[in-house]
Amino acid sequence: MNRIATFIVIFFASFCLTFAQPNASPSAEIKLPATLTDSIPWFAVRELNEANSPFTKNHLSKIAEGNNRVALVYFATWCLPCRAGVKRLAENASALQQNKMQVVLVNIGERDEEQIKNWVEKVGASDFKVIMDPFKRLTEGFGLVKEGEDISLPRSVVVDGKLKPLFMLGEEGSDWPQVLWEKK
């Protein structure tokens, strides 16, 4: 019985360390889809707040004003690499602010608002704006996936102050989150 318990503890610990440690390689850049070459398309989703306010391209434009960049950081509460990446964003909030970098967390495909709020609080990311995209307007509508497909997570789209897409990242690496403001 002790062998089984030891095996379970070792397996669980190695599993957790695999996802808790940042990747030793740099973040993986992914080619932007053709729909994101000049500007992001119009969209309408909801902000996760008490009023469930609408959140559109105009709202994003106001966030981008006066900032060098905005990162749309896609996540789901079940995604372990997302948890680690968003936690690192929260830990680097002052560096993000110093570099005029805003972050908008985009929850994909989930509808349980309490679960999303609890997840955001648990990872320490309550200071970031969180929007919900249960119907994939910011994945299918942006051309990141085809209709009916699921997005691979984590994923981040970085735009400049005029909402021109600059680059897209997949796997977050050792340069996360500095890559968000340093990438040229």
Side-chain angles (χ1 to χ4, degrees):
M1 190 69 159
N2 286 339
R3 286 183 185 176
I4 294 172
T6 303
F7 173 77
I8 291 171
V9 168
I10 291 171
F11 175 78
F12 183 73
S14 65
F15 179 79
C16 290
L17 287 174
T18 299
F19 288 106
Q21 297 298 320
N23 189 340
S25 59
S27 298
E29 186 168 346
I30 301 170
K31 186 176 191 266
L32 284 165
T35 54
L36 293 181
T37 52
D38 296 324
S39 182
I40 59 172
W42 189 87
F43 64 88
V45 291
R46 288 185 310 129
E47 183 176 345
L48 186 63
N49 59 23
E50 295 205 15
N52 282 323
S53 308
F55 190 87
T56 66
K57 185 176 177 178
N58 291 336
H59 293 92
L60 183 60
S61 181
K62 288 178 182 165
I63 291 172
E65 286 176 13
N67 287 294
N68 293 334
R69 296 180 178 176
V70 177
L72 298 170
V73 178
Y74 294 83
F75 78 97
T77 59
W78 50 262
C79 173
L80 292 177
C82 297
R83 176 182 299 268
V86 172
K87 224 178 211 182
R88 286 176 63 197
L89 284 171
E91 292 166 355
N92 287 277
S94 62
L96 290 163
Q97 187 176 22
Q98 288 172 349
N99 288 284
K100 293 188 164 200
M101 178 81 220
Q102 290 293 317
V103 172
V104 176
L105 300 177
V106 182
N107 179 270
I108 298 298
E110 296 179 291
R111 294 189 178 114
D112 187 339
E113 293 179 22
E114 281 306 309
Q115 180 180 356
I116 298 165
K117 284 179 189 176
N118 291 338
W119 186 92
V120 169
E121 287 176 19
K122 193 171 185 176
V123 297
S126 298
D127 290 338
F128 297 126
K129 190 168 291 293
V130 180
I131 58 177
M132 295 179 58
D133 187 19
F135 304 110
K136 302 180 182 179
R137 303 230 187 326
L138 297 177
T139 56
E140 290 175 3
F142 281 17
L144 303 181
V145 295
K146 293 179 181 155
E147 187 175 337
E149 289 181 345
D150 289 325
I151 188 170
S152 296
L153 294 172
R155 185 74 42 112
S156 298
V157 174
V158 179
V159 298
D160 67 12
K162 298 188 187 299
L163 301 186
K164 179 177 179 12
L166 300 173
F167 58 92
M168 181 168 55
L169 299 173
E171 187 176 341
E172 299 155 354
S174 58
D175 55 355
W176 179 261
Q178 293 82 5
V179 66
L180 297 174
W181 64 79
E182 291 177 351
K183 189 98 177 143
K184 300 296 179 215

